[in-house]
């Protein structure tokens, strides 16, 4: 089935927490993050649930951790960059000049640009390789490598191909579009023809 399982993995992993509300010290903030692998052969996403981030606008970084960062990184065909972002995002965020000046929006943009540079840098190749090869749920990778036997396709192409396969299947069985309203369907296709 290529990059997909024959049936989805429905096992969910949940992380929860409670912390003081930074805007109202008498109340608490409760959060939860749940992930599920689904049809993919491996879990490709990563997330951040940090409640101890130094407050934006505090140049020396000596705040009482009143900022929270919640983020999801979609692996898009491989977990290594999502995991890399999970490991480095907050550290790089609080280092930006924009964060220290209190400009959260520009600091987020700057941080994503910095992570792009880091991923492309030879300095981080070993770490990315370790995340790819050392992860027990080894991702299938991003771009196809010559001779790897798998063709990678874009999400848009996968959806288009999936719709064509469904249409062909319905034509073959002589069914109308509204015959199956259960919401379940075959797994996505694995390669374009």
């Amino acid at each position: 089935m290529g990059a997909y399982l024959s049936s989805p993995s429905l096992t969910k992993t949940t992380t929860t927490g409670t912390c003081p509300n930074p805007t109202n010290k008498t109340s608490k903030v409760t959060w939860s993050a749940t992930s599920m692998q689904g049809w993919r052969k491996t879990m490709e996403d990563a997330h951040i649930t940090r409640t101890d981030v130094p407050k934006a606008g505090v140049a020396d970084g000596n705040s009482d951790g009143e900022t929270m960062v919640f983020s999801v990184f979609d692996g898009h065909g491989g977990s290594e960059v999502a995991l890399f972002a999970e490991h480095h995002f907050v550290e790089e965020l609080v280092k930006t000049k924009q964060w220290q000046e209190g400009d959260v929006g520009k600091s987020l943009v700057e941080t994503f640009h910095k992570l792009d540079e880091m991923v492309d840098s030879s300095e981080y190749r070993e770490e990315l390789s370790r995340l790819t090869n050392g992860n027990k749920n080894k991702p299938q990778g991003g771009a196809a490598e010559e001779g790897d036997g798998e063709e990678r396709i874009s999400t848009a192409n996968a959806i288009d191909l999936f719709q064509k396969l469904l249409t062909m299947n319905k034509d073959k069985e002589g069914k109308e579009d509204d015959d199956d309203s259960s919401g379940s369907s075959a797994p996505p296709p694995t390669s374009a023809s």
Side-chain angles (χ1 to χ4, degrees), residues 4-187:
Y4 298 98
L5 300 170
S6 59
S7 62
S9 172
L10 302 177
T11 303
K12 295 178 179 80
T13 302
T14 300
T15 305
T16 61
T18 301
C19 64
N21 183 338
T23 59
N24 178 353
K25 297 292 185 191
T26 62
S27 66
K28 300 229 179 250
V29 173
T30 301
W31 52 266
S32 176
T34 300
S35 60
M36 182 181 80
Q37 182 176 322
W39 290 101
R40 294 277 183 179
K41 283 187 174 180
T42 61
M43 170 49 81
E44 297 177 349
D45 303 340
H47 66 271
I48 294 172
T49 53
R50 291 276 306 270
T51 59
D52 61 346
V53 179
K55 189 174 183 177
V58 180
D60 62 6
N62 290 325
S63 76
D64 58 1
E66 292 186 1
T67 300
M68 296 179 228
V69 175
F70 299 95
S71 182
V72 174
F73 301 103
D74 191 329
H76 290 287
S79 63
E80 61 275 5
V81 174
L83 291 168
F84 184 87
E86 176 187 25
H87 295 163
H88 292 281
F89 188 83
V90 172
E91 174 188 352
E92 295 303 322
L93 177 70
V94 299
K95 282 198 252 181
T96 65
K97 176 183 174 194
Q98 295 86 348
W99 182 266
Q100 293 170 9
E101 293 173 350
D103 191 336
V104 175
K106 287 183 180 175
S107 66
L108 290 170
V109 171
E110 181 65 26
T111 302
F112 281 111
H113 287 300
K114 177 65 177 174
L115 289 177
D116 282 344
E117 290 172 15
M118 291 168 69
V119 166
D120 288 338
S121 168
S122 60
E123 179 181 350
Y124 295 96
R125 294 275 187 247
E126 185 178 322
E127 180 180 355
L128 286 162
S129 179
R130 204 171 43 249
L131 290 169
T132 301
N133 299 321
N135 186 356
K136 71 176 184 169
N137 295 320
K138 183 176 179 282
Q140 297 303 307
E145 296 195 18
E146 191 173 327
D148 74 353
E150 278 191 290
E151 179 182 353
R152 308 289 192 260
I153 59 174
S154 71
T155 302
N157 289 340
I159 291 169
D160 183 53
L161 184 57
F162 185 53
Q163 289 171 336
K164 288 177 184 175
L165 288 171
L166 287 175
T167 301
M168 288 173 28
N169 190 37
K170 287 181 181 180
D171 288 345
K172 181 179 172 185
E173 295 175 4
K175 293 186 174 188
E176 295 297 321
D177 286 342
D178 61 350
D179 281 357
D180 181 20
S181 61
S182 68
S184 64
S185 60

